[in-house]
Amino acid sequence: MKFSNDSGKRWVPKVMAGGIQLKSSEEIEAMYRANQVVAECLQRIGEAVKPGVTTADLDVIGHEVLKKHGAKSAFLGYPNPSGGKAFPATVCTSVNDEIVHGIPSRATVLKDGDIVSCDFGVILDGWVGDSAVTFPVGEVSENAKRLLDVTRRSLAAAIEQVRVGNRLGDVSHAVQEVAEAEGFGVVTDFVGHGVGRKMHEPPQVPNVGRPGTGVRLQAGMVLAIEPMINEGTPDVRTLADGWTAVTFDHKLSAHFEHSVAVTSEGPRVLSAWS
Ligand code: MG
Ligand code: MG
């Protein structure tokens, strides 16, 4: 699908109601390239995750991949919305009961049976890529396996709804339906988002919703869909570091995220692993 700003030298965003920016096919290609840097990093992190590795080691991989591609981190130095210190790393590493925004540390040594959620974001040629995966460390419990499987499936079900003419509520509901059918808690304190020149653009993409409600999807929208699913209740608390969100009941939490373009041919997962 072609848009009026496909060939322009100056970037003129095509903006629909609610401030949602539609991307041209060229712009979606540029976002694909940014997201493929993210995918490469997450793949490398997945290969590195094992007992004895620290979360700081995973951040080193983030720095290496950024350098290799001449990309900038979308996370490093990101301002804290509640006024604390800026985010100090290139990867968010959230272990076990940590939901999102965990800070890599040499003191956090991964051990057999842990799960670690890794979220990575880059800026390449002015476009943001954003994706996340939760990895098992060594041999994990049956419940942890089920949580990872259900969270991955809830994202896949949501992506399946990313079609022209569907509504945002269809996407949100797909996550909720898969997770709640398994008795898991869907986090509502954090949401997915539109993505483009900025990491967080309208619309917000909640992980709960009613089918047939909300913004109607149009070709050129790009959504970062990111279910955060808890083994127990959806309740959240933030640690004293001002960033790390943990489950209130200290049960496990998993997080998977893809950046997905709405196209006339259906969903295009820009951050898919090649
Ligand atoms: Mg992310
Ligand atoms: Mg995101």
Side-chain angles (χ1 to χ4, degrees):
M1 178 150 191
K2 279 280 193 187
F3 291 95
S4 56
N5 55 337
D6 262 1
S7 55
K9 293 279 181 288
R10 191 166 66 91
W11 186 63
V12 182
K14 184 172 179 181
V15 181
M16 56 183 278
I20 298 169
Q21 296 181 356
L22 300 181
K23 281 79 180 178
S24 69
S25 48
E26 286 168 6
E27 290 167 346
I28 287 173
E29 280 310 314
M31 291 191 69
Y32 172 77
R33 290 191 289 274
N35 274 287
Q36 286 304 297
V37 174
V38 178
E40 178 182 327
C41 181
L42 290 174
Q43 260 174 299
R44 278 192 53 187
I45 286 175
E47 289 158 13
V49 163
K50 59 174 191 279
V53 165
T54 72
T55 52
D57 296 331
L58 306 181
D59 188 49
V60 170
I61 295 173
H63 282 280
E64 287 172 359
V65 171
L66 290 168
K67 192 171 174 198
K68 174 181 168 189
H69 292 280
K72 281 196 298 188
S73 173
F75 295 175
L76 183 65
Y78 195 87
N80 190 316
S82 43
K85 66 173 180 182
F87 195 78
T90 67
V91 189
C92 297
T93 55
S94 308
V95 181
N96 294 336
D97 66 338
E98 297 174 352
I99 302 166
V100 285
H101 306 159
I103 299 172
S105 165
R106 266 189 276 278
T108 305
V109 183
L110 297 175
K111 54 186 196 308
D112 194 51
D114 284 345
I115 60 173
V116 57
S117 301
C118 298
D119 194 346
F120 190 60
V122 310
I123 307 165
L124 183 74
D125 299 328
W127 294 96
V128 174
D130 186 13
S131 180
V133 178
T134 302
F135 298 105
V137 183
E139 195 55 41
V140 301
S141 70
E142 283 308 311
N143 229 26
K145 277 184 199 162
R146 196 167 67 88
L147 179 66
L148 266 52
D149 176 59
V150 168
T151 308
R152 195 187 283 109
R153 281 200 286 117
S154 74
L155 175 56
I159 291 169
E160 195 48 44
Q161 294 300 318
V162 177
R163 295 180 183 281
V164 173
N166 275 6
R167 289 179 182 268
L168 205 51
D170 299 320
V171 176
S172 302
H173 180 75
V175 172
Q176 180 179 12
E177 194 175 34
V178 170
E180 290 185 346
E182 298 285 338
F184 290 137
V186 180
V187 172
T188 55
D189 287 49
F190 301 99
V191 294
H193 48 93
V195 59
R197 291 273 188 195
K198 291 200 199 134
M199 183 158 62
H200 296 128
E201 295 185 353
Q204 294 196 346
V205 183
N207 291 308
V208 298
R210 282 195 301 132
T213 65
V215 171
R216 202 177 281 283
L217 302 186
Q218 287 188 35
M221 289 173 66
V222 182
L223 305 174
I225 305 170
E226 47 181 316
M228 289 148 269
I229 307 298
N230 294 352
E231 186 184 12
T233 72
D235 303 316
V236 167
R237 138 183 116 76
T238 305
L239 297 186
D241 64 19
W243 282 104
T244 313
V246 300
T247 59
F248 199 82
D249 59 13
H250 294 298
K251 293 187 176 177
L252 297 175
S253 184
H255 179 212
F256 285 83
E257 176 180 27
H258 271 310
S259 293
V260 184
V262 184
T263 81
S264 50
E265 286 89 47
R268 182 174 178 203
V269 182
L270 303 178
S271 49
W273 291 16
S274 48

PDB file of all heavy atoms in Angstrom, residues 75 119-120 130-132 193 199 226 255 257, ligand 1:
ATOM      1  N   PHE A  75      16.552   2.589  25.107  1.00  0.00           N
ATOM      2  CA  PHE A  75      16.302   2.487  26.554  1.00  0.00           C
ATOM      3  C   PHE A  75      17.303   3.275  27.395  1.00  0.00           C
ATOM      4  O   PHE A  75      16.923   3.900  28.378  1.00  0.00           O
ATOM      5  CB  PHE A  75      16.364   1.025  27.012  1.00  0.00           C
ATOM      6  CG  PHE A  75      15.303   0.117  26.445  1.00  0.00           C
ATOM      7  CD1 PHE A  75      15.332  -1.244  26.722  1.00  0.00           C
ATOM      8  CD2 PHE A  75      14.277   0.594  25.648  1.00  0.00           C
ATOM      9  CE1 PHE A  75      14.365  -2.096  26.227  1.00  0.00           C
ATOM     10  CE2 PHE A  75      13.301  -0.255  25.138  1.00  0.00           C
ATOM     11  CZ  PHE A  75      13.347  -1.614  25.425  1.00  0.00           C
ATOM     12  N   ASP A 119      13.976  -7.331  27.337  1.00  0.00           N
ATOM     13  CA  ASP A 119      13.310  -6.356  26.469  1.00  0.00           C
ATOM     14  C   ASP A 119      14.401  -5.478  25.883  1.00  0.00           C
ATOM     15  O   ASP A 119      15.278  -5.009  26.618  1.00  0.00           O
ATOM     16  CB  ASP A 119      12.327  -5.538  27.320  1.00  0.00           C
ATOM     17  CG  ASP A 119      11.349  -4.731  26.502  1.00  0.00           C
ATOM     18  OD1 ASP A 119      11.562  -4.564  25.292  1.00  0.00           O
ATOM     19  OD2 ASP A 119      10.358  -4.254  27.103  1.00  0.00           O
ATOM     20  N   PHE A 120      14.383  -5.285  24.558  1.00  0.00           N
ATOM     21  CA  PHE A 120      15.448  -4.536  23.904  1.00  0.00           C
ATOM     22  C   PHE A 120      14.825  -3.563  22.917  1.00  0.00           C
ATOM     23  O   PHE A 120      13.863  -3.910  22.217  1.00  0.00           O
ATOM     24  CB  PHE A 120      16.393  -5.518  23.184  1.00  0.00           C
ATOM     25  CG  PHE A 120      17.668  -4.906  22.675  1.00  0.00           C
ATOM     26  CD1 PHE A 120      18.573  -4.309  23.542  1.00  0.00           C
ATOM     27  CD2 PHE A 120      17.983  -4.938  21.321  1.00  0.00           C
ATOM     28  CE1 PHE A 120      19.765  -3.758  23.082  1.00  0.00           C
ATOM     29  CE2 PHE A 120      19.181  -4.394  20.847  1.00  0.00           C
ATOM     30  CZ  PHE A 120      20.066  -3.807  21.731  1.00  0.00           C
ATOM     31  N   ASP A 130      11.400  -2.518  18.801  1.00  0.00           N
ATOM     32  CA  ASP A 130      11.097  -2.851  20.196  1.00  0.00           C
ATOM     33  C   ASP A 130      10.511  -4.258  20.251  1.00  0.00           C
ATOM     34  O   ASP A 130       9.516  -4.546  19.572  1.00  0.00           O
ATOM     35  CB  ASP A 130      10.083  -1.820  20.727  1.00  0.00           C
ATOM     36  CG  ASP A 130       9.777  -1.957  22.197  1.00  0.00           C
ATOM     37  OD1 ASP A 130      10.499  -2.683  22.919  1.00  0.00           O
ATOM     38  OD2 ASP A 130       8.796  -1.312  22.653  1.00  0.00           O
ATOM     39  N   SER A 131      11.152  -5.124  21.041  1.00  0.00           N
ATOM     40  CA  SER A 131      10.667  -6.507  21.164  1.00  0.00           C
ATOM     41  C   SER A 131      11.185  -7.095  22.468  1.00  0.00           C
ATOM     42  O   SER A 131      12.179  -6.625  23.016  1.00  0.00           O
ATOM     43  CB  SER A 131      11.159  -7.327  19.965  1.00  0.00           C
ATOM     44  OG  SER A 131      10.719  -8.670  20.029  1.00  0.00           O
ATOM     45  N   ALA A 132      10.504  -8.121  22.959  1.00  0.00           N
ATOM     46  CA  ALA A 132      10.904  -8.751  24.228  1.00  0.00           C
ATOM     47  C   ALA A 132      10.602 -10.249  24.194  1.00  0.00           C
ATOM     48  O   ALA A 132       9.666 -10.688  23.511  1.00  0.00           O
ATOM     49  CB  ALA A 132      10.168  -8.101  25.399  1.00  0.00           C
ATOM     50  N   HIS A 193       1.918  -0.288  22.832  1.00  0.00           N
ATOM     51  CA  HIS A 193       1.912   1.087  22.342  1.00  0.00           C
ATOM     52  C   HIS A 193       2.136   1.139  20.841  1.00  0.00           C
ATOM     53  O   HIS A 193       2.725   0.212  20.263  1.00  0.00           O
ATOM     54  CB  HIS A 193       3.024   1.872  23.055  1.00  0.00           C
ATOM     55  CG  HIS A 193       4.349   1.147  23.053  1.00  0.00           C
ATOM     56  ND1 HIS A 193       5.303   1.342  22.075  1.00  0.00           N
ATOM     57  CD2 HIS A 193       4.847   0.177  23.873  1.00  0.00           C
ATOM     58  CE1 HIS A 193       6.341   0.544  22.318  1.00  0.00           C
ATOM     59  NE2 HIS A 193       6.094  -0.189  23.398  1.00  0.00           N
ATOM     60  N   MET A 199       9.539   5.758  20.655  1.00  0.00           N
ATOM     61  CA  MET A 199       9.244   4.419  21.170  1.00  0.00           C
ATOM     62  C   MET A 199       7.774   4.311  21.606  1.00  0.00           C
ATOM     63  O   MET A 199       7.138   3.297  21.362  1.00  0.00           O
ATOM     64  CB  MET A 199      10.162   4.075  22.346  1.00  0.00           C
ATOM     65  CG  MET A 199       9.927   2.665  22.848  1.00  0.00           C
ATOM     66  SD  MET A 199      11.314   1.982  23.753  1.00  0.00           S
ATOM     67  CE  MET A 199      11.454   3.099  25.135  1.00  0.00           C
ATOM     68  N   GLU A 226       2.519  -6.243  23.724  1.00  0.00           N
ATOM     69  CA  GLU A 226       3.406  -6.826  24.729  1.00  0.00           C
ATOM     70  C   GLU A 226       2.671  -7.344  25.956  1.00  0.00           C
ATOM     71  O   GLU A 226       2.627  -6.683  26.984  1.00  0.00           O
ATOM     72  CB  GLU A 226       4.509  -5.850  25.121  1.00  0.00           C
ATOM     73  CG  GLU A 226       4.111  -4.439  25.437  1.00  0.00           C
ATOM     74  CD  GLU A 226       5.355  -3.594  25.779  1.00  0.00           C
ATOM     75  OE1 GLU A 226       6.210  -4.069  26.528  1.00  0.00           O
ATOM     76  OE2 GLU A 226       5.445  -2.453  25.293  1.00  0.00           O
ATOM     77  N   HIS A 255       6.865 -12.006  29.833  1.00  0.00           N
ATOM     78  CA  HIS A 255       6.670 -10.852  28.936  1.00  0.00           C
ATOM     79  C   HIS A 255       7.198 -11.199  27.543  1.00  0.00           C
ATOM     80  O   HIS A 255       8.373 -11.543  27.406  1.00  0.00           O
ATOM     81  CB  HIS A 255       7.456  -9.660  29.524  1.00  0.00           C
ATOM     82  CG  HIS A 255       7.392  -8.397  28.716  1.00  0.00           C
ATOM     83  ND1 HIS A 255       8.441  -7.503  28.669  1.00  0.00           N
ATOM     84  CD2 HIS A 255       6.418  -7.861  27.943  1.00  0.00           C
ATOM     85  CE1 HIS A 255       8.111  -6.478  27.901  1.00  0.00           C
ATOM     86  NE2 HIS A 255       6.888  -6.668  27.455  1.00  0.00           N
ATOM     87  N   GLU A 257       7.013  -9.576  23.458  1.00  0.00           N
ATOM     88  CA  GLU A 257       6.618  -8.380  22.702  1.00  0.00           C
ATOM     89  C   GLU A 257       7.100  -8.483  21.258  1.00  0.00           C
ATOM     90  O   GLU A 257       8.227  -8.888  21.007  1.00  0.00           O
ATOM     91  CB  GLU A 257       7.251  -7.129  23.338  1.00  0.00           C
ATOM     92  CG  GLU A 257       6.980  -5.838  22.569  1.00  0.00           C
ATOM     93  CD  GLU A 257       7.623  -4.619  23.227  1.00  0.00           C
ATOM     94  OE1 GLU A 257       8.642  -4.781  23.918  1.00  0.00           O
ATOM     95  OE2 GLU A 257       7.095  -3.507  23.023  1.00  0.00           O
TER      96      GLU A 257
HETATM   97 MG    MG B   1       9.911  -3.437  24.707  1.00  0.00          MG
END
